[in-house]
Amino acid sequence: MNAPATTELPVVVIGAGPAGLAAAAHLIDQGIEPLVLESGPTAGTAVREWSHVRLFSTWGEVVDPAAEKLLAPTGWTRPDPATYPSGGDWADLYLQPLADVLGDRVRTGARVTGVSRTGRDRIVDADREAQPFVVHIAHAGGREERLFARAVIDASGTWVTPSPSGGSGLPALGEKAAADRITYRVPDLKDPAVRARYAGRRTAVIGSGASAFTALAYLADLAKSDDGAGTKGVWILRRGISGSTFGGGEADQLPARGALGLAAKAAVDDGHADAVTGFRTEAIERAHDGRLILVGEDGRRLDPVDEVVVLTGFRPDLSFLEELRLGLDERLQAPVALAPLIDPNQHSCGTVYPHGHRELSHPEQGVYLVGMKSYGRAPTFLAMTGYEQVRSVAAAIAGDLDAADRVELTLPETGVCGGAGLFDAPDAAEGDGGGCCAPTPQFVQLGVPAAAKAAAAEEAPAGGCCGS
């Protein structure tokens, strides 16, 4: 079968999550036909898997303007812009109605297994850019198909590829064998079966971001409940505790995000969780009673735990893009022009410079990684970032470079100055302020592996950013 002329083809959007559906809305707004391919059974499949978690962005920040324009004729009205949706709310009240409006432009149960140039593998130069893209799909029933596209927008996210517990980026020894007691998601403690799994148990939480904060807060709430007596969290940190460990707190311009860190701090301060610092997991061993023992690269062996929650971030699945010529940063696996803006080793004060199609482009013209996937392994992605990305990309595909380059989004600051301190040694200094006025926070030890309670410690002040 010969591919049709490129101009007659749709733009294939991979993923029917928030960024993917918004991309479809913006393409329609530009007069371009989209085709959204979703591997799951419904729109927002990944979002539905954390339906119990409340967003730290309000409804006013998680509805895309072009999507709202499509929804308006149906009688849809946005929920109170000042309220905070859960993942389930977001999927049911916004993503699914948007997918319904898009109709047969959204295909579910369609997993993309490969993307290339028609008749050209990664090596071939000749006439490459004149060829349409070819997209291979595996359908839920096992049928395979190939489609052609004028451009490809990969908004598939990173949800299906969580990072492992190992401090070297690899699974810890024994991690796979202990899979029956390990989860890589924030547990839904409202689910009776899940709640029973953690109630009265000792749970290790590995990670230092918003998801880890959420898990610690949930476990602390369980410990304070009638059916949760004896519940204990063990917070595993690869670095030390500093003034920025718990996020920006009241200095965060997204108050609910700042509150997550404060809730995690309260869990430690109130004795519902012990903090173990400077611990890089090397192995997970099974004790004689079936519980798990975490072993550090420095030889430390922690007291046994009943469950382990690994929340060390996510990474992009690039396997189905291997025949394309992508320009990715060697550390973050994000587009090379975007990487310096989001690098957590250097990133200062939580702000991200406005960016659009130029920062998201690749040597393979017509391919864009957007949404969470555009950040590679970097954390703290916001929905509004994705919406601005796809607006710019859709305009660029339409040839309206003036609109594509007019990127004016300003993201809220986290209130945290300096880099994320990704160098793992507990006594290592964090990255320089990069424009922040406060001195680098000093690390303090809140707990030791076998301690019954975290030792009392005084935090160094987090400081503030210039002009904030």
Side-chain angles (χ1 to χ4, degrees):
M1 174 181 169
N2 294 325
T6 302
T7 54
E8 301 171 3
L9 297 172
V11 171
V12 163
V13 179
I14 306 173
L21 294 175
H26 281 281
L27 288 166
I28 291 171
D29 201 41
Q30 291 286 348
I32 298 172
E33 193 65 16
L35 177 60
V36 183
L37 303 174
E38 166 60 45
S39 62
T42 63
T45 295
V47 174
R48 292 180 187 281
E49 292 191 16
W50 49 269
S51 60
H52 58 292
V53 177
R54 192 161 298 282
L55 281 72
F56 50 66
S57 296
T58 64
W59 271 114
E61 296 160 331
V62 298
V63 173
D64 176 78
E68 189 167 9
K69 180 179 174 182
L70 275 183
L71 285 164
T74 70
W76 183 88
T77 56
R78 181 173 56 183
D80 183 350
T83 61
Y84 295 89
S86 65
D89 295 335
W90 202 17
D92 291 338
L93 303 180
Y94 169 62
L95 298 178
Q96 190 58 56
L98 179 54
D100 292 342
V101 169
L102 291 168
D104 59 9
R105 296 183 177 102
V106 178
R107 299 185 189 178
T108 58
R111 181 171 59 89
V112 174
T113 58
V115 181
S116 186
R117 288 281 188 178
T118 303
R120 307 289 187 272
D121 63 20
R122 185 187 183 108
I123 300 173
V124 178
D125 290 332
D127 203 28
R128 185 179 188 88
E129 292 182 3
Q131 306 305 314
F133 293 95
V134 60
V135 181
H136 283 212
I137 304 165
H139 291 275
R143 179 175 63 89
E144 292 184 316
E145 182 184 8
R146 71 171 185 168
L147 301 172
F148 299 100
R150 62 186 289 185
V152 175
I153 299 175
D154 184 355
S156 60
T158 57
W159 178 254
V160 298
T161 46
S163 296
S165 70
S168 301
L170 302 172
L173 300 178
E175 182 170 345
K176 294 179 181 178
D180 60 315
R181 289 179 179 260
I182 300 176
T183 183
Y184 299 85
R185 309 288 189 263
V186 176
D188 181 2
L189 298 184
K190 293 180 181 179
D191 182 316
V194 176
R195 190 176 184 87
R197 176 175 172 175
Y198 294 92
R201 305 293 179 87
R202 182 176 169 87
T203 299
V205 177
I206 305 176
S208 59
S211 293
F213 295 163
T214 302
L216 290 165
Y218 282 5
L219 290 169
D221 287 343
L222 178 58
K224 291 180 281 188
S225 67
D226 293 339
D227 62 340
T231 302
K232 187 75 171 185
V234 182
W235 189 14
I236 311 298
L237 290 154
R238 293 174 179 170
R239 56 194 178 107
I241 299 286
S242 76
S244 64
T245 295
F246 301 98
E250 294 179 359
D252 195 319
Q253 291 182 0
L254 290 179
R257 180 172 59 186
L260 284 176
L262 297 177
K265 184 178 185 302
V268 175
D269 290 345
D270 295 344
H272 298 304
D274 294 335
V276 180
T277 59
F279 190 92
R280 289 173 285 187
T281 307
E282 181 178 83
I284 299 176
E285 299 178 357
R286 185 86 64 167
H288 69 278
D289 60 359
R291 294 194 296 167
L292 302 180
I293 298 172
L294 273 61
V295 182
E297 292 180 356
D298 58 3
R300 278 187 287 169
R301 299 172 64 86
L302 304 188
D303 290 343
V305 295
D306 299 285
E307 302 286 344
V308 177
V309 180
V310 179
L311 300 168
T312 53
F314 295 86
R315 52 188 61 177
D317 177 8
L318 301 168
S319 60
F320 58 89
L321 303 176
E322 63 184 3
E323 290 305 316
L324 298 176
R325 298 174 177 180
L326 302 181
L328 298 174
D329 178 76
E330 67 275 9
R331 291 175 298 175
L332 299 184
Q333 295 178 296
V336 290
L338 176 60
L341 309 183
I342 61 175
D343 187 350
N345 291 288
Q346 305 172 11
H347 198 35
S348 177
C349 301
T351 57
V352 177
Y353 291 107
H355 64 277
H357 74 108
R358 295 193 186 278
E359 291 81 6
L360 298 170
S361 64
H362 294 274
E364 192 82 69
Q365 293 185 21
V367 172
Y368 301 92
L369 276 58
V370 302
M372 189 64 136
K373 193 163 186 176
S374 71
Y375 269 39
R377 298 192 183 200
T380 63
F381 186 81
L382 296 175
M384 63 182 87
T385 301
Y387 296 158
E388 178 61 15
Q389 287 179 342
V390 298
R391 184 206 62 77
S392 175
V393 165
I397 293 172
D400 187 352
L401 294 184
D402 286 341
D405 288 335
R406 193 173 58 249
V407 181
E408 300 173 351
L409 174 68
T410 300
L411 293 174
E413 294 184 359
T414 64
V416 179
C417 291
L422 295 188
F423 183 68
D424 292 342
D427 57 351
E430 294 194 31
D432 66 29
C436 293
C437 302
T440 300
Q442 299 301 306
F443 287 98
V444 294
Q445 190 90 350
L446 282 190
V448 294
K453 288 188 176 182
E458 182 178 348
E459 274 193 352
C465 295
C466 300
S468 63

